[in-house]
Amino acid sequence: MNDSVPSSPLSRRALLQRGGIIAVVAPRKGAPAGDTSEDALDLHICLTAEGRILAFCGHVDLGTGIRTALAQMVAEELDFPFDAVEMVLGDTADTPDQGATIASETIQVTSVAMRIGATQIRARLIGLAAAALACGEDEISLRDGRLHRGEAAVPAIGLDTLLANERLLLPLAESATFKPIDHHRLIGRSVARVDIPAKVDGSFVYVHDVRVPGMLHGRVVRPPYSGMDAGDFVGRSLIAVDRDSIAGIPGIRALVIEGDFIGIVAEREEQAAEAALALKAEWRSFTPPDLSDVAQALRAHPSTPRLLVDEGDVEAALGTLEKRLDRTYVWPYHMHGSIGPSCAVADVRADGITVWTGSQNPFPLQNDLAVLTGLPREQIDIVRHEAAGCYGRNCADDVAADAVLLSRAVGAPVRVQLTREQEHLWEPKGAAQLIDIKGGLGPDASLAAYDFHTWYPSNAAPTLALLLTGRIPNQPATLRMGDRTAVPSYDYENMRLTAYDMPPIVRASWLRGVSAMPNVFAHESYIDELAHEAGVDPVAFRLRHINDERAAELTRATAERAGWQPHVGPRMEADGEIMRGRGFAQARYVHGSWPGVGA
C-alpha cells in the first residue's frame, strides 16, 4: 500500500501569499464585503515568475477531458505553451464555488472566467515589458510565453525580471475581448489529453487508490428499503443490532449506529467486509411501491399539474382534426450502472475535515457534510479525484458522508468502499416518465393541435446519511424538473403543454438531461407518426414544420451526410435474423428552471 496522499499543485493560499505573481482574483463566495485577505479571495488564474500558469475551476473532470480543454483555452488566450498550464479542479479549498458539474456548463460557462483572466494577465505582462523597455505597448508581443519587441525576442526582459518584486492581484473583469478565431493555434486543434498516459500505464490515482497515513477501513450495512429515500420508515426502521454477531472477527475498531445508519470500522478492508456480511440486524417492515406497471404508477401518484404553454384553442382544434392521433410514451427507470462501486476517504480532525471523493458536486457535498456534522463549511475540504463515471448521480456523495461518520467515530482517517450490490441498489435511478400526447393532422397535413402532458417524479436524492441519521426530514421534496425541453421543435397551430410535478416514488436523480430526453423521445416519436399518417418522408415532414433555421440546416446536413433515402413507412433490411432500419431525430437541449436555457 502506498501510504501517501497524491500530490497537488500549489494551493490558492500559497500562491496569494508569495511574490513574483500576476493573479486574477474575485471575492470568495460568502466572504465579508471589503475583506481582501487570502481566505476571502477566489483565485481564477495565476502566472508566476518561473513561468508556471495555474488555473482554478470549481468543476471536475468526469472523464470528458475538460482538464485538457480548459488548459487549451488558458494557453490560447495567454499565448503560452500548453505544457505551462496546470489545472486545479473541484478542490473546495482552492477553487471558486461554481456549483455542480452539469449540463456541459464547464466549457459553456465556467471557462469564461479563466479566459477573461488570461487576457488580463497577458495585457498586464505586455504593459510591464513596455514600461521596462521604455517603449509603447504596441511594440510588445507575446508568443509561446516569450516577450518580443517587434520581431525580435527580448532576451534582457524575462518573467523572472518583470515579476521578481511584483505581487499583482487583478480584480476579475466582467468581460474581455478574446483572441479572434482565425488566430487560434490551440483551440480547435487536437491536443493529447493530459490524463491518458497515466491511465494507460496504471499510475493514475483514482479516488479508489487514495491512501493516507493511519488509514482504517469501513463498510456500511444498508437498511432493507433499498432505493427508497422518502416515507415515515426512512431513518426510523432499525430495531436492534446484534453486536455479538461480529465479536469473533479480528481487527474491528468500531460499530457505529446512528438512526438507520450502520457502519463498521476495521484495521483491514477484508475484516470490515466480513463483518458487514456477518452483522445481524433487525428491521421494521415497510411497503415498497408497486412498479410492475410504471405508467400506472406514475399516473396514480399524487401530482400537481402546471400549465407551461397554452397557445390558441387546443380543445376546439382537437374536435376538428382530419386525422386524430393520441399516443402514450413510457420511459422506464434507468440505472447508471457505474463500472466501479463508489469509494471515499475521510479524515475528521479537531481542526476540520478532509474528504477525498469522486463526487461531481464538491461544493454541494461540502454543504451536505456541514449539515451532517454541524461544522462550518469552511472547515470542510473536499478534494476531488476521478472515479467511475456515471453522467448523473451515483453513490459518490453517499459514500463520502459514510466515511465522515465513521472517521468521526474513531478519530482516524477511514476509507469506505461500497459493494457492487449496494451501489446498484442504492444509486439514485434515472427517473421514469410518462407522456400523453393528443393531437393529429389538420387540412393539408397541417399540425393543427398538440396537447402534451408529462409526468415526472422528483429527483433530488438527498445524501443518504442525512436521511438515515435523521439530520433532515424523511418527507420528500417536490421539484419542478419535468419541463426540460418540453417545447417541441415544430410549429403547432394550437399547443398546450402541461407538466405534472410530483414527489419521488423511489430514489432518483438526473441521468443525461433529466426529463429532456424522455420529452424529446415523445416529441420526435410523435412527429414520426404524424409523418407516417400524412404519407410524407419523416425528414421532409420535419423540414416542412421545423421552427428554427439552425435546426433545419442541421437536419438537412445530417440527412445528406448520412445518405438518407426518403421513404414513407418502415424501411427495413434483413441481416440474417436481424432486421435493420434507420430513423431520424433532432432536438436542442433546454435546461434549468422553466422556461430554461438552450444548450
Side-chain angles (χ1 to χ4, degrees):
M1 179 184 294
N2 178 20
D3 198 31
S4 63
V5 179
S7 60
S8 60
L10 285 174
S11 70
R12 169 183 63 93
R13 186 175 291 107
L15 285 167
L16 290 174
Q17 289 175 344
R18 61 162 283 176
I21 64 167
I22 305 178
V24 175
V25 299
R28 197 158 176 81
K29 188 175 181 178
D35 189 349
T36 58
S37 66
E38 292 84 3
D39 287 338
L41 293 176
D42 271 333
L43 179 56
H44 289 274
I45 186 168
C46 179
L47 172 65
T48 73
E50 298 82 27
R52 294 179 69 185
I53 303 164
L54 292 104
F56 297 80
C57 178
H59 283 193
V60 303
D61 197 328
L62 296 170
T64 54
I66 67 161
R67 183 179 296 276
T68 303
L70 293 175
Q72 283 179 263
M73 294 180 177
V74 170
E76 185 72 79
E77 297 297 344
L78 254 176
D79 277 315
F80 265 69
F82 171 79
D83 292 342
V85 181
E86 301 173 64
M87 295 300 310
V88 182
L89 303 176
D91 187 324
T92 57
D94 288 336
T95 63
D97 182 353
Q98 294 167 313
T101 307
I102 55 173
S104 302
E105 287 185 352
T106 304
I107 296 298
Q108 295 181 63
V109 180
T110 60
S111 66
V112 175
M114 284 186 295
R115 294 181 70 195
I116 291 173
T119 66
Q120 291 181 258
I121 290 177
R122 186 181 185 280
R124 180 56 64 93
L125 199 57
I126 289 174
L128 290 173
L133 295 172
C135 66
E137 291 186 8
D138 58 347
E139 298 182 54
I140 302 294
S141 62
L142 183 61
R143 299 193 296 273
D144 292 324
R146 293 180 176 273
L147 290 158
H148 298 256
R149 183 174 182 180
E151 293 301 318
V154 187
I157 302 292
L159 293 179
D160 53 348
T161 301
L162 285 177
L163 301 182
N165 300 312
E166 298 285 356
R167 183 173 172 271
L168 300 173
L169 303 183
L170 311 178
L172 178 66
E174 293 185 1
S175 62
T177 301
F178 298 131
K179 185 186 293 186
I181 292 175
D182 57 1
H183 288 188
H184 284 171
R185 58 184 182 82
L186 285 171
I187 294 177
R189 290 166 173 77
S190 180
V191 173
R193 276 179 49 167
V194 297
D195 56 321
I196 296 300
K199 288 177 177 177
V200 170
D201 68 23
S203 62
F204 192 85
V205 179
Y206 290 95
V207 70
H208 301 72
D209 304 316
V210 171
R211 303 291 186 268
V212 299
M215 188 180 79
L216 301 173
H217 294 270
R219 282 290 194 273
V220 293
V221 177
R222 294 294 194 218
Y225 45 86
S226 56
M228 301 193 65
D229 61 355
D232 290 338
F233 55 87
V234 174
R236 300 176 181 175
S237 293
L238 182 60
I239 297 173
V241 174
D242 182 2
R243 294 177 179 271
D244 292 338
S245 60
I246 60 171
I249 299 175
I252 303 299
R253 289 289 192 90
L255 174 60
V256 182
I257 303 170
E258 293 190 40
D260 281 0
F261 175 85
I262 302 175
I264 298 166
V265 183
E267 296 169 2
R268 297 179 60 85
E269 185 174 13
E270 68 270 20
Q271 294 166 342
E274 181 184 358
L277 288 173
L279 186 71
K280 294 180 180 178
E282 183 182 359
W283 303 87
R284 293 182 177 87
S285 61
F286 70 100
T287 302
D290 181 4
L291 290 175
S292 58
D293 184 336
V294 173
Q296 178 56 32
L298 289 168
R299 206 181 296 279
H301 201 53
S303 64
T304 303
R306 176 165 50 98
L307 186 63
L308 305 175
V309 174
D310 192 3
E311 298 175 350
D313 190 336
V314 172
E315 291 298 334
L318 288 172
T320 59
L321 292 173
E322 293 188 357
K323 179 64 177 180
R324 178 72 178 257
L325 200 68
D326 294 352
R327 292 292 184 265
T328 294
Y329 303 97
V330 183
W331 189 264
Y333 282 96
H334 283 72
M335 185 172 72
H336 295 83
S338 291
I339 197 170
S342 296
C343 175
V345 179
D347 183 11
V348 180
R349 309 172 306 278
D351 63 342
I353 299 173
T354 302
V355 179
W356 294 266
T357 174
S359 171
Q360 74 180 75
N361 311 309
F363 287 92
L365 176 59
Q366 183 188 44
N367 292 332
D368 282 354
L369 296 181
V371 174
L372 183 67
T373 62
L375 288 177
R377 65 194 298 269
E378 294 77 18
Q379 293 183 28
I380 302 171
D381 184 17
I382 308 298
V383 182
R384 206 274 172 172
H385 287 269
E386 287 194 41
C390 62
Y391 300 105
R393 280 272 306 283
N394 59 5
C395 290
D397 290 12
D398 300 319
V399 77
D402 296 339
V404 166
L405 290 176
L406 297 186
S407 175
R408 184 176 65 176
V410 297
V414 176
R415 177 184 183 273
V416 180
Q417 171 138 356
L418 299 182
T419 66
R420 187 168 296 280
E421 292 83 358
Q422 288 172 332
E423 176 73 39
H424 294 335
L425 285 169
W426 281 96
E427 58 139 278
K429 303 301 185 288
Q433 198 160 338
L434 170 69
I435 298 107
D436 283 342
I437 301 177
K438 299 176 183 178
L441 298 173
D444 299 321
S446 61
L447 302 185
Y450 196 66
D451 193 11
F452 179 90
H453 301 259
T454 179
W455 286 262
Y456 184 77
S458 293
N459 61 350
T463 298
L464 201 54
L466 293 172
L467 289 164
L468 298 183
T469 60
R471 296 297 195 283
I472 63 174
N474 56 20
Q475 298 306 306
T478 297
L479 307 180
R480 293 185 167 190
M481 300 288 284
D483 51 33
R484 304 287 178 94
T485 321
V487 178
S489 302
Y490 308 102
D491 278 322
Y492 289 94
E493 297 170 8
N494 301 275
M495 182 167 65
R496 181 168 60 201
L497 311 176
T498 306
Y500 293 80
D501 302 320
M502 60 176 65
I505 299 177
V506 296
R507 192 167 196 243
S509 189
W510 31 90
L511 173 63
R512 304 313 290 149
V514 194
S515 59
M517 192 152 49
N519 284 337
V520 169
F521 174 75
H523 292 321
E524 292 299 295
S525 296
Y526 193 74
I527 201 77
D528 268 342
E529 297 198 52
L530 289 176
H532 179 74
E533 294 294 335
V536 179
D537 170 72
V539 170
F541 193 76
R542 282 172 169 82
L543 289 171
R544 183 184 298 180
H545 298 290
I546 209 160
N547 59 19
D548 180 278
E549 180 50 38
R550 187 180 179 198
E553 180 186 358
L554 175 65
T555 298
R556 286 189 291 266
T558 303
E560 180 181 353
R561 292 184 63 178
W564 179 265
Q565 298 179 25
H567 62 278
V568 176
R571 187 174 183 274
M572 308 295 289
E573 297 176 356
D575 181 5
E577 295 182 352
I578 299 173
M579 296 295 290
R580 300 187 183 278
R582 304 180 78 184
F584 193 98
Q586 63 80 32
R588 184 188 187 198
Y589 175 43
V590 177
H591 68 104
S593 300
W594 178 262
V597 178

